[in-house]
Amino acid sequence: MSYRVVWFKRDLRLCDHAPLAEAARLGPVLCLYVIEPGLWAQPDAATQHYRFALEGLADLAAELQRLGGRLLVRVGEAVEVLDQLYRAAPFLALHAHEETGNGWTYARDLAVGRWCRARGVAWREWPQFGVVRRLADRKHWQREWEALMAQPQAGLPALRCFEPPWPSDLPPQPSQLGLDPWQPPQRQWGGRRRALALLDDFLDQRCERYRGHISSPLSAPTACSRLSPYLAQGSVSLREVVQATRAQIALLPDSQARARQGLQAFLSRLYWHCHFIQKLESEPALESRNLHRGYDGLREPDWNPAHFAALVQGRTGWPLVDACVAMLRQTGWLNFRMRAMLVSVAAYPLWLHWREVGLWLAREFLDYEPGIHWSQLQMQSGTTGINTTRVYNPIKQARDQDPQGVFVRRWLPALRRVPDSWIFEPWRLPPDLQQRCGLRVGVEIALPLVDLEVATRESKQRLYARRAQPEVRAAKAAIVDKHGSRKGMPGRVSDRGTRSPRRITAPPDASQLSLDF
Protein backbone atom coordinates (compact mmCIF):
# COMPACT_ATOMS: atom_id res chain seq x y z
CA MET A 1 0.00 0.00 0.00
CA SER A 2 1.37 3.43 -0.95
CA TYR A 3 1.72 5.88 1.91
CA ARG A 4 3.46 9.05 3.03
CA VAL A 5 5.75 9.61 6.00
CA VAL A 6 5.20 12.65 8.24
CA TRP A 7 8.47 13.39 10.00
CA PHE A 8 7.93 15.18 13.31
CA LYS A 9 10.84 17.23 14.60
CA ARG A 10 10.26 20.40 16.62
CA ASP A 11 6.52 20.38 15.86
CA LEU A 12 5.02 17.98 18.39
CA ARG A 13 1.33 18.64 17.83
CA LEU A 14 -1.55 17.73 15.53
CA CYS A 15 -3.21 21.15 15.49
CA ASP A 16 -2.10 23.52 12.72
CA HIS A 17 0.32 20.95 11.34
CA ALA A 18 0.36 21.54 7.58
CA PRO A 19 2.60 18.57 6.64
CA LEU A 20 0.31 16.14 8.45
CA ALA A 21 -2.85 17.76 7.11
CA GLU A 22 -1.65 17.55 3.51
CA ALA A 23 -0.34 14.01 3.82
CA ALA A 24 -3.59 12.84 5.44
CA ARG A 25 -5.60 14.46 2.68
CA LEU A 26 -3.67 12.50 0.06
CA GLY A 27 -3.84 9.04 1.63
CA PRO A 28 -2.43 6.79 4.36
CA VAL A 29 0.26 8.27 6.58
CA LEU A 30 2.96 7.05 8.90
CA CYS A 31 3.80 9.46 11.73
CA LEU A 32 7.51 9.23 12.56
CA TYR A 33 9.76 10.75 15.23
CA VAL A 34 13.48 9.97 15.18
CA ILE A 35 15.62 10.18 18.30
CA GLU A 36 18.92 11.10 16.67
CA PRO A 37 22.05 10.33 18.73
CA GLY A 38 24.02 12.78 16.61
CA LEU A 39 21.66 15.61 17.50
CA TRP A 40 21.85 14.94 21.23
CA ALA A 41 25.64 14.73 21.08
CA GLN A 42 25.87 18.38 20.02
CA PRO A 43 27.38 20.86 22.51
CA ASP A 44 24.16 22.89 22.69
CA ALA A 45 22.02 19.90 23.79
CA ALA A 46 21.07 19.12 27.39
CA THR A 47 19.10 16.52 29.31
CA GLN A 48 16.37 19.04 30.05
CA HIS A 49 15.79 19.53 26.31
CA TYR A 50 15.61 15.77 25.80
CA ARG A 51 13.23 15.16 28.69
CA PHE A 52 11.05 18.06 27.59
CA ALA A 53 10.86 16.59 24.08
CA LEU A 54 9.91 13.16 25.45
CA GLU A 55 7.09 14.75 27.44
CA GLY A 56 5.86 16.42 24.27
CA LEU A 57 6.10 13.09 22.45
CA ALA A 58 3.89 11.46 25.09
CA ASP A 59 1.15 14.02 24.49
CA LEU A 60 1.51 13.67 20.72
CA ALA A 61 1.30 9.87 20.88
CA ALA A 62 -1.81 10.06 23.07
CA GLU A 63 -3.50 12.48 20.66
CA LEU A 64 -2.75 10.21 17.72
CA GLN A 65 -4.02 7.19 19.59
CA ARG A 66 -7.34 8.91 20.26
CA LEU A 67 -7.68 9.38 16.50
CA GLY A 68 -6.88 5.76 15.80
CA GLY A 69 -3.29 6.42 14.77
CA ARG A 70 0.15 5.63 16.12
CA LEU A 71 3.44 7.44 16.47
CA LEU A 72 6.46 5.42 15.39
CA VAL A 73 9.54 6.36 17.43
CA ARG A 74 12.88 5.13 16.13
CA VAL A 75 16.40 5.61 17.47
CA GLY A 76 19.11 6.29 14.90
CA GLU A 77 20.28 8.89 12.43
CA ALA A 78 17.54 10.21 10.20
CA VAL A 79 18.89 8.96 6.86
CA GLU A 80 19.51 5.49 8.29
CA VAL A 81 16.01 5.28 9.79
CA LEU A 82 14.35 6.49 6.58
CA ASP A 83 16.37 4.02 4.55
CA GLN A 84 15.41 1.09 6.81
CA LEU A 85 11.77 2.08 6.59
CA TYR A 86 11.91 2.52 2.83
CA ARG A 87 13.56 -0.88 2.30
CA ALA A 88 10.88 -2.57 4.38
CA ALA A 89 7.94 -0.62 2.92
CA PRO A 90 8.68 2.00 0.22
CA PHE A 91 6.81 5.29 0.64
CA LEU A 92 5.86 7.98 -1.86
CA ALA A 93 6.81 11.17 -0.03
CA LEU A 94 8.32 12.64 3.09
CA HIS A 95 6.40 15.54 4.68
CA ALA A 96 7.95 17.83 7.31
CA HIS A 97 8.16 21.36 8.61
CA GLU A 98 11.11 23.53 7.69
CA GLU A 99 13.58 23.81 10.55
CA THR A 100 15.99 26.63 11.26
CA GLY A 101 18.10 24.82 13.81
CA ASN A 102 21.78 24.51 14.57
CA GLY A 103 24.48 23.62 12.06
CA TRP A 104 24.05 19.90 12.69
CA THR A 105 20.35 19.90 11.77
CA TYR A 106 21.14 21.98 8.68
CA ALA A 107 23.67 19.36 7.50
CA ARG A 108 21.27 16.54 8.40
CA ASP A 109 18.48 18.07 6.33
CA LEU A 110 20.82 18.39 3.36
CA ALA A 111 21.66 14.69 3.73
CA VAL A 112 17.95 13.79 3.91
CA GLY A 113 17.35 15.80 0.77
CA ARG A 114 20.08 13.92 -1.07
CA TRP A 115 18.64 10.60 0.13
CA CYS A 116 15.15 11.55 -1.09
CA ARG A 117 16.42 12.57 -4.51
CA ALA A 118 18.39 9.33 -4.86
CA ARG A 119 15.28 7.25 -4.05
CA GLY A 120 12.83 9.33 -6.04
CA VAL A 121 10.96 10.22 -2.86
CA ALA A 122 9.26 13.61 -2.91
CA TRP A 123 10.22 15.77 0.07
CA ARG A 124 7.68 18.45 0.89
CA GLU A 125 8.40 21.06 3.56
CA TRP A 126 6.14 23.75 5.02
CA PRO A 127 7.11 26.88 6.98
CA GLN A 128 6.48 26.63 10.68
CA PHE A 129 7.37 30.21 11.63
CA GLY A 130 7.32 33.43 9.64
CA VAL A 131 10.74 32.51 8.24
CA VAL A 132 11.29 32.57 4.48
CA ARG A 133 13.63 30.13 2.76
CA ARG A 134 16.01 31.63 0.20
CA LEU A 135 14.89 35.16 1.09
CA ALA A 136 16.27 37.61 -1.43
CA ASP A 137 15.97 40.67 0.82
CA ARG A 138 13.99 41.98 3.78
CA LYS A 139 11.89 44.42 1.79
CA HIS A 140 8.63 42.45 1.86
CA TRP A 141 9.34 40.22 4.84
CA GLN A 142 6.80 41.84 7.15
CA ARG A 143 4.05 41.42 4.56
CA GLU A 144 4.85 37.73 4.22
CA TRP A 145 4.83 37.28 8.00
CA GLU A 146 1.42 38.94 8.29
CA ALA A 147 0.03 36.84 5.45
CA LEU A 148 1.18 33.60 7.06
CA MET A 149 -0.22 34.56 10.46
CA ALA A 150 -3.57 35.48 8.89
CA GLN A 151 -4.01 32.19 7.02
CA PRO A 152 -6.45 29.67 8.50
CA GLN A 153 -4.80 27.06 10.66
CA ALA A 154 -4.21 23.73 8.94
CA GLY A 155 -7.15 21.46 9.74
CA LEU A 156 -6.69 17.73 10.16
CA PRO A 157 -8.85 15.44 8.00
CA ALA A 158 -9.66 11.89 9.01
CA LEU A 159 -6.48 9.89 9.47
CA ARG A 160 -5.79 6.70 7.55
CA CYS A 161 -2.70 5.28 9.16
CA PHE A 162 -0.12 2.97 7.68
CA GLU A 163 1.00 0.33 10.16
CA PRO A 164 4.81 0.22 10.25
CA PRO A 165 6.59 -3.12 10.01
CA TRP A 166 8.09 -2.83 13.52
CA PRO A 167 7.22 -1.39 16.95
CA SER A 168 8.58 1.82 18.40
CA ASP A 169 11.98 1.83 20.06
CA LEU A 170 12.25 2.56 23.75
CA PRO A 171 13.75 6.06 24.23
CA PRO A 172 17.33 5.83 25.47
CA GLN A 173 18.29 7.22 28.85
CA PRO A 174 20.11 10.58 28.66
CA SER A 175 23.36 8.93 29.72
CA GLN A 176 23.10 6.54 26.75
CA LEU A 177 23.10 9.60 24.48
CA GLY A 178 26.13 11.04 26.23
CA LEU A 179 24.12 13.76 28.01
CA ASP A 180 24.97 15.10 31.44
CA PRO A 181 22.22 13.66 33.66
CA TRP A 182 21.68 16.98 35.46
CA GLN A 183 18.51 18.88 34.69
CA PRO A 184 16.90 21.81 36.54
CA PRO A 185 14.68 20.37 39.28
CA GLN A 186 12.16 23.19 38.87
CA ARG A 187 11.98 23.31 35.08
CA GLN A 188 8.70 23.46 33.17
CA TRP A 189 7.25 20.16 31.96
CA GLY A 190 6.64 19.58 28.27
CA GLY A 191 3.57 18.66 26.27
CA ARG A 192 0.71 20.33 24.48
CA ARG A 193 -1.72 20.10 27.39
CA ARG A 194 0.53 22.22 29.57
CA ALA A 195 1.16 24.66 26.74
CA LEU A 196 -2.57 25.24 26.16
CA ALA A 197 -3.20 25.67 29.88
CA LEU A 198 -0.47 28.31 30.07
CA LEU A 199 -1.78 30.09 26.98
CA ASP A 200 -5.33 30.24 28.36
CA ASP A 201 -4.12 31.45 31.74
CA PHE A 202 -1.99 34.17 30.15
CA LEU A 203 -4.68 35.42 27.80
CA ASP A 204 -7.38 35.42 30.49
CA GLN A 205 -5.46 36.64 33.53
CA ARG A 206 -1.72 37.25 33.51
CA CYS A 207 -1.55 39.47 30.43
CA GLU A 208 -2.57 42.48 32.55
CA ARG A 209 0.84 42.39 34.20
CA TYR A 210 2.84 41.85 31.02
CA ARG A 211 3.77 45.46 30.40
CA GLY A 212 5.88 46.86 33.18
CA HIS A 213 6.51 43.58 34.98
CA ILE A 214 8.65 41.44 32.64
CA SER A 215 11.97 43.21 33.27
CA SER A 216 12.30 42.40 36.95
CA PRO A 217 13.31 38.85 37.89
CA LEU A 218 10.84 39.16 40.79
CA SER A 219 7.69 39.67 38.73
CA ALA A 220 8.68 38.21 35.34
CA PRO A 221 8.14 34.51 36.21
CA THR A 222 4.38 35.08 36.34
CA ALA A 223 4.06 38.20 34.15
CA CYS A 224 5.70 36.51 31.14
CA SER A 225 3.58 34.06 29.17
CA ARG A 226 6.15 31.27 29.78
CA LEU A 227 5.23 29.80 26.37
CA SER A 228 8.74 30.06 24.94
CA PRO A 229 9.82 26.42 25.51
CA TYR A 230 6.57 25.13 23.98
CA LEU A 231 7.05 27.30 20.89
CA ALA A 232 10.66 26.17 20.61
CA GLN A 233 9.54 22.53 20.78
CA GLY A 234 6.46 23.11 18.61
CA SER A 235 3.82 21.94 21.09
CA VAL A 236 1.83 24.94 19.88
CA SER A 237 2.24 26.76 16.58
CA LEU A 238 3.21 30.41 16.39
CA ARG A 239 0.18 31.11 14.19
CA GLU A 240 -2.06 29.43 16.76
CA VAL A 241 -0.74 31.74 19.49
CA VAL A 242 -0.88 34.87 17.31
CA GLN A 243 -4.47 34.20 16.28
CA ALA A 244 -5.58 33.35 19.82
CA THR A 245 -3.99 36.58 21.08
CA ARG A 246 -5.65 38.70 18.41
CA ALA A 247 -9.00 37.06 19.08
CA GLN A 248 -8.66 37.85 22.79
CA ILE A 249 -7.80 41.48 22.03
CA ALA A 250 -10.94 41.77 19.90
CA LEU A 251 -13.07 40.51 22.81
CA LEU A 252 -11.66 42.86 25.43
CA PRO A 253 -13.86 45.81 26.44
CA ASP A 254 -12.40 49.30 26.65
CA SER A 255 -12.31 49.02 30.43
CA GLN A 256 -9.53 46.41 30.20
CA ALA A 257 -6.92 48.70 28.69
CA ARG A 258 -4.04 47.13 30.63
CA ALA A 259 -4.84 43.67 29.32
CA ARG A 260 -5.11 45.01 25.78
CA GLN A 261 -1.76 46.78 26.05
CA GLY A 262 -0.15 43.67 27.47
CA LEU A 263 -1.40 41.52 24.64
CA GLN A 264 -0.30 44.05 22.02
CA ALA A 265 3.20 44.02 23.54
CA PHE A 266 3.13 40.23 23.53
CA LEU A 267 2.18 40.21 19.83
CA SER A 268 5.13 42.47 19.14
CA ARG A 269 7.48 39.93 20.67
CA LEU A 270 5.99 37.13 18.62
CA TYR A 271 6.78 39.16 15.51
CA TRP A 272 10.36 39.82 16.59
CA HIS A 273 10.73 36.11 17.40
CA CYS A 274 10.56 35.35 13.67
CA HIS A 275 12.57 38.41 12.69
CA PHE A 276 15.57 37.06 14.58
CA ILE A 277 15.22 33.45 13.45
CA GLN A 278 15.26 34.75 9.88
CA LYS A 279 18.80 36.01 10.52
CA LEU A 280 20.09 32.48 11.14
CA GLU A 281 18.09 31.14 8.19
CA SER A 282 19.76 33.69 5.93
CA GLU A 283 23.20 33.36 7.55
CA PRO A 284 23.74 29.84 9.01
CA ALA A 285 27.33 30.69 9.96
CA LEU A 286 25.94 33.16 12.51
CA GLU A 287 26.00 30.28 15.01
CA SER A 288 29.76 29.86 14.89
CA ARG A 289 31.46 33.01 13.61
CA ASN A 290 31.09 36.77 13.91
CA LEU A 291 28.34 38.17 11.71
CA HIS A 292 30.64 41.10 10.93
CA ARG A 293 33.99 39.52 10.10
CA GLY A 294 35.73 42.78 10.95
CA TYR A 295 35.37 41.80 14.61
CA ASP A 296 37.30 38.55 14.18
CA GLY A 297 40.13 38.41 16.66
CA LEU A 298 38.63 41.06 18.95
CA ARG A 299 38.14 38.75 21.94
CA GLU A 300 39.33 35.34 20.76
CA PRO A 301 43.03 35.70 21.74
CA ASP A 302 42.12 36.85 25.26
CA TRP A 303 39.93 33.93 26.36
CA ASN A 304 40.09 33.67 30.15
CA PRO A 305 39.04 30.19 31.38
CA ALA A 306 39.00 31.35 35.01
CA HIS A 307 36.50 34.11 34.19
CA PHE A 308 34.32 31.67 32.29
CA ALA A 309 34.41 29.07 35.05
CA ALA A 310 33.45 31.69 37.64
CA LEU A 311 30.53 32.82 35.49
CA VAL A 312 29.24 29.27 35.00
CA GLN A 313 29.59 28.53 38.71
CA GLY A 314 27.84 31.74 39.77
CA ARG A 315 31.01 33.04 41.41
CA THR A 316 31.54 36.38 39.67
CA GLY A 317 31.12 38.29 42.95
CA TRP A 318 28.31 40.48 41.62
CA PRO A 319 25.24 39.28 43.53
CA LEU A 320 22.59 39.81 40.87
CA VAL A 321 24.68 37.96 38.27
CA ASP A 322 25.33 35.04 40.59
CA ALA A 323 21.68 34.93 41.68
CA CYS A 324 20.60 34.75 38.04
CA VAL A 325 22.95 31.85 37.41
CA ALA A 326 21.54 30.08 40.47
CA MET A 327 17.96 30.58 39.29
CA LEU A 328 18.83 29.43 35.78
CA ARG A 329 20.48 26.31 37.13
CA GLN A 330 17.39 25.43 39.16
CA THR A 331 14.61 26.41 36.72
CA GLY A 332 16.01 26.49 33.17
CA TRP A 333 14.52 29.95 32.71
CA LEU A 334 15.41 33.60 33.16
CA ASN A 335 13.65 36.75 31.99
CA PHE A 336 14.97 38.73 29.03
CA ARG A 337 16.54 41.62 30.97
CA MET A 338 18.56 39.28 33.14
CA ARG A 339 19.62 37.22 30.11
CA ALA A 340 20.89 40.38 28.46
CA MET A 341 22.73 41.34 31.63
CA LEU A 342 24.44 37.93 31.86
CA VAL A 343 25.73 38.18 28.30
CA SER A 344 26.73 41.80 28.81
CA VAL A 345 28.79 40.94 31.88
CA ALA A 346 30.41 38.07 29.99
CA ALA A 347 31.16 40.21 26.92
CA TYR A 348 32.44 43.41 28.54
CA PRO A 349 33.92 43.35 32.06
CA LEU A 350 34.85 39.65 31.70
CA TRP A 351 35.80 40.09 28.00
CA LEU A 352 34.66 36.59 27.00
CA HIS A 353 33.96 35.58 23.41
CA TRP A 354 30.27 34.84 22.82
CA ARG A 355 30.61 31.32 21.37
CA GLU A 356 31.48 29.36 24.54
CA VAL A 357 29.19 31.56 26.62
CA GLY A 358 26.44 30.86 24.11
CA LEU A 359 26.91 27.09 24.23
CA TRP A 360 26.70 27.16 28.01
CA LEU A 361 23.53 29.27 27.96
CA ALA A 362 22.02 27.12 25.20
CA ARG A 363 22.25 24.13 27.53
CA GLU A 364 20.88 26.13 30.46
CA PHE A 365 17.88 27.67 28.64
CA LEU A 366 15.00 25.23 28.37
CA ASP A 367 13.57 27.44 25.61
CA TYR A 368 16.76 27.46 23.53
CA GLU A 369 15.88 28.52 19.99
CA PRO A 370 19.06 28.71 17.85
CA GLY A 371 17.90 31.51 15.57
CA ILE A 372 17.11 33.84 18.43
CA HIS A 373 19.86 32.67 20.73
CA TRP A 374 22.85 33.24 18.48
CA SER A 375 21.54 36.51 17.08
CA GLN A 376 21.17 37.83 20.61
CA LEU A 377 24.58 36.60 21.75
CA GLN A 378 26.22 38.49 18.90
CA MET A 379 24.09 41.59 19.23
CA GLN A 380 24.79 41.87 22.94
CA SER A 381 28.50 41.21 22.37
CA GLY A 382 28.74 43.93 19.72
CA THR A 383 29.89 41.71 16.84
CA THR A 384 27.00 42.29 14.42
CA GLY A 385 28.38 45.70 13.52
CA ILE A 386 24.90 47.17 13.07
CA ASN A 387 23.40 47.40 16.55
CA THR A 388 23.78 49.98 19.29
CA THR A 389 26.11 48.82 22.04
CA ARG A 390 24.22 48.25 25.29
CA VAL A 391 26.25 47.44 28.36
CA TYR A 392 24.39 46.45 31.52
CA ASN A 393 25.86 47.41 34.87
CA PRO A 394 24.95 44.52 37.23
CA ILE A 395 24.94 46.77 40.30
CA LYS A 396 22.64 49.34 38.73
CA GLN A 397 20.39 46.59 37.37
CA ALA A 398 20.14 45.11 40.86
CA ARG A 399 19.08 48.44 42.32
CA ASP A 400 16.58 49.04 39.52
CA GLN A 401 15.04 45.58 39.29
CA ASP A 402 15.49 44.18 42.83
CA PRO A 403 15.68 47.27 45.07
CA GLN A 404 15.13 45.42 48.37
CA GLY A 405 17.33 42.51 47.39
CA VAL A 406 14.47 40.00 47.55
CA PHE A 407 15.58 38.12 44.45
CA VAL A 408 19.25 38.09 45.43
CA ARG A 409 18.50 36.79 48.91
CA ARG A 410 16.17 34.11 47.55
CA TRP A 411 18.87 32.58 45.34
CA LEU A 412 21.97 33.42 47.39
CA PRO A 413 21.18 32.29 50.95
CA ALA A 414 24.58 33.46 52.21
CA LEU A 415 23.41 37.06 51.76
CA ARG A 416 20.11 36.77 53.60
CA ARG A 417 21.35 38.57 56.71
CA VAL A 418 23.22 41.32 54.84
CA PRO A 419 21.56 44.77 55.25
CA ASP A 420 19.98 46.38 52.18
CA SER A 421 22.67 49.06 51.98
CA TRP A 422 25.35 46.41 51.36
CA ILE A 423 23.40 43.68 49.59
CA PHE A 424 24.61 44.44 46.05
CA GLU A 425 28.22 45.22 47.02
CA PRO A 426 28.96 42.80 49.86
CA TRP A 427 32.73 43.06 49.34
CA ARG A 428 32.47 46.53 50.92
CA LEU A 429 31.18 45.09 54.19
CA PRO A 430 33.50 45.83 57.12
CA PRO A 431 34.93 42.65 58.69
CA ASP A 432 32.95 43.05 61.93
CA LEU A 433 29.69 43.36 60.01
CA GLN A 434 30.60 40.32 57.90
CA GLN A 435 31.02 38.37 61.11
CA ARG A 436 27.66 39.51 62.46
CA CYS A 437 25.99 38.52 59.16
CA GLY A 438 27.66 35.12 59.17
CA LEU A 439 29.31 35.93 55.86
CA ARG A 440 32.89 35.53 54.70
CA VAL A 441 33.39 37.51 51.52
CA GLY A 442 35.63 35.46 49.28
CA VAL A 443 34.25 32.21 50.66
CA GLU A 444 30.43 32.02 50.77
CA ILE A 445 30.24 34.84 48.23
CA ALA A 446 33.06 35.47 45.76
CA LEU A 447 35.00 38.67 45.44
CA PRO A 448 34.41 40.45 42.11
CA LEU A 449 36.65 39.04 39.43
CA VAL A 450 37.63 42.48 38.11
CA ASP A 451 37.08 46.13 38.91
CA LEU A 452 33.72 46.59 37.20
CA GLU A 453 34.13 50.23 36.23
CA VAL A 454 37.69 49.91 34.93
CA ALA A 455 37.12 46.65 33.05
CA THR A 456 33.91 47.90 31.44
CA ARG A 457 35.53 51.15 30.31
CA GLU A 458 38.52 49.34 28.82
CA SER A 459 36.36 46.81 26.99
CA LYS A 460 34.18 49.50 25.45
CA GLN A 461 37.26 51.39 24.32
CA ARG A 462 38.57 48.27 22.58
CA LEU A 463 35.22 47.66 20.88
CA TYR A 464 34.86 51.28 19.74
CA ALA A 465 38.41 51.33 18.41
CA ARG A 466 37.65 48.30 16.25
CA ARG A 467 34.33 49.79 15.14
CA ALA A 468 36.04 53.01 14.05
CA GLN A 469 38.38 51.27 11.62
CA PRO A 470 37.53 52.30 8.03
CA GLU A 471 37.28 48.74 6.73
CA VAL A 472 34.95 47.75 9.57
CA ARG A 473 32.71 50.75 8.95
CA ALA A 474 32.69 50.05 5.22
CA ALA A 475 31.46 46.48 5.66
CA LYS A 476 28.48 47.55 7.75
CA ALA A 477 26.25 48.44 4.78
CA ALA A 478 26.13 44.89 3.38
CA ILE A 479 25.07 43.52 6.77
CA VAL A 480 22.32 46.11 7.15
CA ASP A 481 21.08 45.26 3.67
CA LYS A 482 20.87 41.55 4.43
CA HIS A 483 19.81 41.45 8.08
CA GLY A 484 18.62 44.88 9.21
CA SER A 485 15.00 45.77 9.82
CA ARG A 486 13.43 48.08 7.24
CA LYS A 487 11.75 51.44 7.44
CA GLY A 488 8.09 50.76 8.08
CA MET A 489 8.70 47.40 9.71
CA PRO A 490 6.84 47.15 13.00
CA GLY A 491 8.76 48.57 15.87
CA ARG A 492 11.88 49.21 13.81
CA VAL A 493 14.50 50.85 16.02
CA SER A 494 16.59 53.37 14.16
CA ASP A 495 20.21 54.23 14.91
CA ARG A 496 18.91 57.22 16.87
CA GLY A 497 16.62 55.10 18.97
CA THR A 498 13.30 56.29 17.51
CA ARG A 499 10.63 53.80 16.57
CA SER A 500 8.48 53.90 13.50
CA PRO A 501 4.81 54.33 14.47
CA ARG A 502 3.32 51.02 13.38
CA ARG A 503 0.56 48.80 14.72
CA ILE A 504 3.06 46.38 16.20
CA THR A 505 5.65 48.17 18.30
CA ALA A 506 9.03 46.97 19.39
CA PRO A 507 9.19 45.63 22.92
CA PRO A 508 11.43 47.26 25.53
CA ASP A 509 15.08 46.42 24.85
CA ALA A 510 14.19 45.13 21.37
CA SER A 511 17.85 44.72 20.56
CA GLN A 512 18.22 42.34 23.49
CA LEU A 513 15.02 40.45 22.78
CA SER A 514 15.03 36.90 24.06
CA LEU A 515 12.64 34.06 23.50
CA ASP A 516 11.14 34.22 26.99
CA PHE A 517 7.95 36.04 26.04
Side-chain angles (χ1 to χ4, degrees), residues 202-203 207 245 248-249 252 259-267:
F202 177 72
L203 295 179
C207 62
T245 304
Q248 181 70 359
I249 291 172
L252 289 173
R260 184 186 301 275
Q261 292 168 357
L263 292 178
Q264 289 285 9
F266 177 61
L267 272 179

Side-chain angles (χ1 to χ4, degrees), residues 345-360:
V345 166
Y348 295 99
L350 300 185
W351 200 241
L352 295 171
H353 188 266
W354 53 266
R355 173 64 181 171
E356 286 301 320
V357 174
L359 288 172
W360 163 60

Side-chain angles (χ1 to χ4, degrees), residues 87 99 120 134 142 144 181 223 333 389 410 412 462 478 483:
R87 289 176 183 275
E99 181 179 7
R134 293 172 286 278
Q142 179 199 349
E144 295 194 37
W333 186 85
T389 302
R410 179 185 303 165
L412 299 180
R462 295 173 75 175
H483 297 287

